[in-house]
Amino acid sequence: GGKVVKTIVVARDISEQREVGRKLNKYKNGLRLINYIASNNQFSVDEQIDMALEVGRNYLSLDVGIIGQVKKDNFKLKYIRIDYTTTEIKLKEEYKLNKVFSDITFTKDDVVAYHNIGQSELKDHVCYLDTSIEAYIGIPFYVQGKKQGTISFFSLKPKSDPFDENEIDFIRLFSKWIGFTLERESTNKSMLSEQDMLRSFATFSPA
């Protein structure tokens, strides 16, 4: 009897180690893809963000990835990636902030994650009642030190297990990259507008 128990324990340990290794490899691969997108100058910022959302959506095995801007009581979608083969969810361009889970996420400074909302304290939230979103993970993002909006991934089906440490770490890094990318784009635009202004002054300056 002892040998059988020992064999089962060893087999379980090996299985768990393999699962940890698989999750770690998936995590590293996700970060590698984001790094490739971020370092490839042939893509515009919009293309980079779209592709990164798709990478995040696939990595987290969720149907939808969005980035939205929060202004006062409104939540406006800026970037959306949806797998229409797995979900029929329909999104509007703008929502009242209190109608979406981002009202909770935006007030936090870290990740908000629910793998099965119907079995959580969010089951009475108007967003769940309106949409039946079951799995959700989100985080705020900052541009030039100011909280601008949220990044979130979700599905109408619950996840079988809670989000793990790698997945939570992934979305933290994703948020930092989005903030940096949007900040760089904002700086580039302001530099370009300054150059345009200088050119226009040069055009009208007496020779």
Side-chain angles (χ1 to χ4, degrees), residues 76-177:
K76 188 169 186 177
L77 294 185
K78 292 294 187 182
Y79 298 92
I80 309 168
R81 294 296 295 187
I82 300 179
D83 184 354
Y84 286 108
T85 64
T86 58
T87 187
E88 296 177 1
I89 195 164
K90 290 179 174 60
L91 297 175
K92 297 187 295 185
E93 195 174 308
E94 198 161 340
Y95 294 85
K96 283 291 179 189
L97 185 57
N98 63 1
K99 299 279 189 183
V100 292
F101 289 135
S102 284
D103 71 330
I104 295 164
T105 308
F106 193 67
T107 62
K108 306 282 186 185
D109 285 322
D110 201 8
V111 179
V112 172
Y114 292 87
H115 73 291
N116 190 342
I117 290 173
Q119 303 294 318
S120 77
E121 68 271 19
L122 287 192
K123 66 180 185 297
D124 296 321
H125 192 288
V126 65
C127 185
Y128 180 69
L129 299 175
D130 285 349
T131 65
S132 300
I133 289 169
E134 288 288 359
Y136 173 92
I137 185 167
I139 190 171
F141 68 89
Y142 292 76
V143 178
Q144 294 173 334
K146 291 180 182 174
K147 201 186 288 190
Q148 295 288 331
T150 62
I151 301 156
S152 46
F153 298 90
F154 50 88
S155 282
L156 295 182
K157 292 176 184 171
K159 272 172 73 77
S160 53
D161 297 306
F163 290 94
D164 64 36
E165 285 179 27
N166 289 334
E167 290 169 326
I168 287 168
D169 198 42
F170 178 88
I171 198 169
R172 282 189 186 125
L173 293 170
F174 195 102
S175 169
K176 285 179 182 173
W177 176 74

Side-chain angles (χ1 to χ4, degrees), residues 1-8:
K3 277 189 178 177
V4 173
V5 170
K6 204 175 284 184
T7 303
I8 291 169

